[in-house]
Amino acid sequence: MSSDASPQYTWAGNFSEPMDDLVKRYTASVGFDRRMWRQDIRGSLAHARMLARQGIIPAEDLADIQRGMAQIAAEIESGAFAWSLDFEDVHLNIEKRLTALVGDAGKRLHTGRSRNDQVATDIRLYLRDAIDDIQVLLGQFQNALLDLAEREAATPMPGFTHLQVAQPITFGHHVLAWREMTRRDAERLAEIRKRVNRLPLGAAALAGTTYPIDREFVAAELGFDGVCENSLDAVSDRDFAIEFCAAAALLMMHLSRMSEELVLWMNPRFAFVRIPDRFCTGSSIMPQKKNPDVAELARGKTGRVYGHLMALLTLMKGQPLAYNKDNQEDKEPLFDAVDTVTDTLRIFAAMIPGVVTRPEAMREALRQGFATATDLADYLTRKGLPFRDAHRIVGLAVRRAEELGVDLPELRIEELQSFSPLIGEDVFSALTVEGSLAARDHAGGTAPERVRAVIARARARA
Ligand code: ARG
């Protein structure tokens, strides 16, 4: 940041002394809003085209503005642009440079516009781009999940409730549950994008402007679906940023749940999966350690995105119409939410293909957890016993198996028949893990054929 001894403040006309240095630092946003420079230039060019088209500025001014902006874009891109704290934010920094480059045309750019509608436009353009990028990453992540689910469509693992072994499922079915979460995330983002994609520009400071502007033209130029219908709301609305953070919080919550499972599964007590070394870190003191840092950090970063949602809700709750400087505080939470979701999705999309399952460990966990007990109860129910009676009988059988240190299908037929005369030789096919899986053959069930059908439908849609 360069510091000019006597900067020409944009609004200096009515001021009798320069701004206090502390105030300058406190009020400036250029340190973080400069990341919106592309959107700012895009918005300004669309505004300038509209001004020229409406005869509000001469055609030569438009040409000068376009030439100046092209140079500014090149300067920023190359790192040559001198960002200055003296010009508060990205908007004034670019406008000052434009005026230095092209003179009066640069000073005419702000006709019929305020930074209030300008910044609201820039954030929406920025967030729209960010949502589109996140959707691409979500798609890549979903494809990685589909591939993993396909590879493990028939791999038995214990499904848990209360984190205790419940019933057999397939690893692929579990991964498809993760995918369902991400499908809702994608739907939500697409829904939010509609409300992001409205043009505030034209609202000016708060009340609209006296020039014969054409907002629909600007909206079309910038790819907005329409204009914000009320000038006061246009400059003060940040619902779209809150909605995005809410969607980001949910998305991170999903990634955090997946992370928690990966951390557990990687623990040698589970040993259900291996995560490639390139996604793990070691310990500086314990030579044997391999830590699932990526999953842990994703779990941890979820908290900060929740924080951003809370920050934005709180930012807005006390604001009277229309624009208030409070709004400048919208950017850092929003940007960090975008960055966190983007980085986390990218690394998960890269990590998931490397997940390797350890079927023997999952098979052993199924055995120790009497995972097919419900199947025995269902078997007895099919033979005519009321389900509640079947439930009680199987409880007794499980206790016996526990005493003998074996799984249910390892009990001798006479042993099983001592609990119910309804039990026949055919019981063993119901008690195997494969039998249990295959029997759950309905929409949403864990049967390998069902898992494969879901994957096939997903691939056909893509
Ligand atoms: N930097 C400001 C923001 O981020 C731009 C709008 C400032 N408007 C104003 N009247 N001070 O919100």
Side-chain angles (χ1 to χ4, degrees), residues 132-210:
D132 293 345
D133 291 346
I134 289 169
Q135 290 282 33
V136 170
L137 289 172
L138 254 181
Q140 289 168 3
F141 180 46
Q142 289 174 334
N143 283 338
L145 291 176
L146 273 186
D147 290 344
L148 179 58
E150 188 158 50
R151 222 169 66 209
E152 310 290 346
T155 310
M157 76 176 279
F160 297 93
T161 62
H162 312 262
L163 202 55
Q164 314 299 312
V165 172
Q167 291 173 353
I169 58 172
T170 70
F171 194 88
H173 194 57
H174 194 110
V175 171
L176 287 184
W178 289 354
R179 180 175 161 274
E180 285 300 303
M181 301 178 194
T182 67
R183 282 199 332 141
R184 291 193 295 275
D185 291 324
E187 260 177 44
R188 246 186 303 274
L189 286 171
E191 189 53 42
I192 289 165
R193 191 188 190 280
K194 294 181 200 162
R195 282 180 292 281
V196 173
N197 208 28
R198 295 260 146 72
L199 175 76
L201 211 62
L206 77 164
T209 179
T210 54

Side-chain angles (χ1 to χ4, degrees), residues 29 33 88-89 91 114-116 119 238 323-325 327-328 330-331:
S29 56
D33 65 15
E88 191 180 322
D89 53 26
H91 324 292
S114 154
R115 271 184 302 152
N116 298 351
V119 68
R238 294 293 184 273
Y323 177 86
N324 302 281
K325 184 74 169 179
N327 280 344
Q328 184 165 291
D330 62 356
K331 285 167 210 65

Side-chain angles (χ1 to χ4, degrees), residues 18-33:
M19 197 192 294
D20 189 286
D21 252 3
L22 282 174
V23 175
K24 191 198 287 183
R25 280 181 197 289
Y26 196 69
T27 57
S29 56
V30 63
F32 50 84
D33 65 15

Side-chain angles (χ1 to χ4, degrees), residues 186-236:
E187 260 177 44
R188 246 186 303 274
L189 286 171
E191 189 53 42
I192 289 165
R193 191 188 190 280
K194 294 181 200 162
R195 282 180 292 281
V196 173
N197 208 28
R198 295 260 146 72
L199 175 76
L201 211 62
L206 77 164
T209 179
T210 54
Y211 301 94
I213 58 170
D214 182 349
R215 299 185 66 202
E216 277 72 24
F217 173 80
V218 179
E221 287 280 287
L222 294 174
F224 283 104
D225 295 328
V227 303
C228 299
E229 294 280 347
N230 178 288
S231 63
L232 297 171
D233 182 54
V235 289
S236 67

